[in-house]
Amino acid sequence: MRALQLLLKYVFILELHFNFLQKRASRRRYMSHPLQSLSGETRVLAIMGDPIAQVKSPAGVTATLHERGVNAVMVPVHVSPADLATLVSGISLAKNFDGISMTVPHKFAAHALCATATDRANFLSACNIMRRNPDGSWHGDMCDGEGFVAAARAVGCQPEGKRALLVGAGGAGSAIALALLDAGVSELAVHDGDTQRCDALITRLRSVHGDKVIAGSNDPSGFDVIINATPAGMRADDPLPVQADKFVAGMFVGDVITVPAVTPMIQAARDKGCLTQIGTGMFAAVRDRMIDFLLEAGPLAR
């Protein structure tokens, strides 16, 4: 009886180990699948920025497209603002090149390269994703704002009726500002070190949302929602984008930066008991919306 019990236990352990090896092999096959299917039929996408080393989207976008049955690959492209239009014009001649994601600092310039765009992209004069029109020209959209709000809701932030402070009036900041207003914040204060850019965004937003939009500062006192949409925090020696010593429990603090995942501002907010949203959460939500846009129409449509 003792021998039988030991044998059954041994068989059970072997079965567990075999199942573990099967799952690990399955994960490895999945991770290598996009490269294994790389061929002359593979469609090509790019993400363009300056710098570009910080982006994480090529692997995630490629994997998600393959999960959806699309044989396509996204590659990073480092291009300066001065060369962006020339690069896009040249690469548009490639007949298997179907989409472009734009990151810092190209989102405003990208809109000028599009023959057509969505209403929100036209309102913001900015794009972070482009797909082909039937004639080969580009159609753009701006998903950053919708993605950020969706990611914020996922961690428990409800923007309706809240007072929000947004630091950063660039491409991502502009999109987040519009999305917050559309989501129902009671007031939006916008702050940026570039006062001309900040004033221009406030004027544009007021044309739709009126006096709900005001000029802000880096003082978060009295606000329910505080968002950093600037590069501040990417480097260890960057100054904090807001006066983090004035955070209080109950605030929601969000950041667009993905590297480091937890910026000094986010850590300061967590130390004060604030609800937080890190940049990788926003990235995942934006990525899904960009892929939906690419597959909605154009060469990759499903």
Side-chain angles (χ1 to χ4, degrees), residues 128-252:
N128 73 331
I129 188 68
M130 298 155 61
R131 71 180 183 223
R132 294 278 198 172
N133 284 317
D135 63 359
S137 63
W138 294 102
H139 179 67
D141 192 15
M142 186 58 168
C143 307
D144 282 347
E146 182 184 352
F148 185 92
V149 170
R153 290 188 187 280
V155 297
C157 174
Q158 299 300 324
E160 293 84 358
K162 302 295 197 303
R163 297 184 69 231
L165 170 64
L166 172 72
V167 181
S174 297
I176 292 170
L178 180 62
L180 286 170
L181 289 163
D182 289 344
V185 295
S186 62
E187 182 180 81
L188 175 68
V190 183
H191 174 67
D192 193 289
D194 185 334
T195 55
Q196 184 176 1
R197 181 169 68 176
C198 186
D199 290 346
L201 176 59
I202 290 171
T203 299
R204 182 172 300 185
L205 294 171
R206 280 180 174 171
S207 70
V208 176
H209 292 281
D211 293 340
K212 291 172 64 174
V213 187
I214 63 172
S217 69
N218 67 345
D219 184 352
S221 301
F223 290 96
D224 307 297
V225 177
I226 299 96
I227 299 158
N228 174 45
T230 78
M234 291 180 67
R235 298 182 303 183
D237 59 348
D238 283 340
L240 291 175
V242 297
Q243 298 176 38
D245 59 315
K246 295 185 178 180
F247 287 153
V248 296
M251 288 178 170
F252 169 83

Side-chain angles (χ1 to χ4, degrees), residues 16-94:
L16 288 177
H17 185 60
F18 177 74
N19 288 338
F20 168 77
L21 292 176
Q22 275 193 318
K23 290 179 180 178
R24 185 170 66 176
S26 176
R27 285 196 297 268
R28 286 177 175 173
R29 283 196 300 271
Y30 167 72
M31 292 175 67
S32 64
H33 173 66
L35 291 181
Q36 287 180 343
S37 63
L38 192 64
S39 70
E41 295 182 343
T42 302
R43 311 302 296 182
V44 181
L45 313 168
I47 179 168
M48 299 183 182
D50 182 24
I52 200 67
Q54 79 282 1
V55 303
K56 306 299 181 184
S57 55
V61 170
T62 300
T64 303
L65 285 168
H66 278 259
E67 287 176 6
R68 299 197 190 185
V70 180
N71 181 8
V73 61
M74 174 172 275
V75 296
V77 177
H78 188 178
V79 56
S80 69
D83 295 326
L84 180 66
T86 301
L87 174 63
V88 172
S89 176
I91 207 166
S92 296
L93 299 175

Side-chain angles (χ1 to χ4, degrees), residues 286-302:
V286 172
R287 178 196 63 207
D288 291 343
R289 281 154 179 79
M290 289 195 302
I291 291 174
D292 288 343
F293 175 78
L294 290 169
L295 302 184
E296 180 183 58
L300 299 180
R302 287 293 183 271

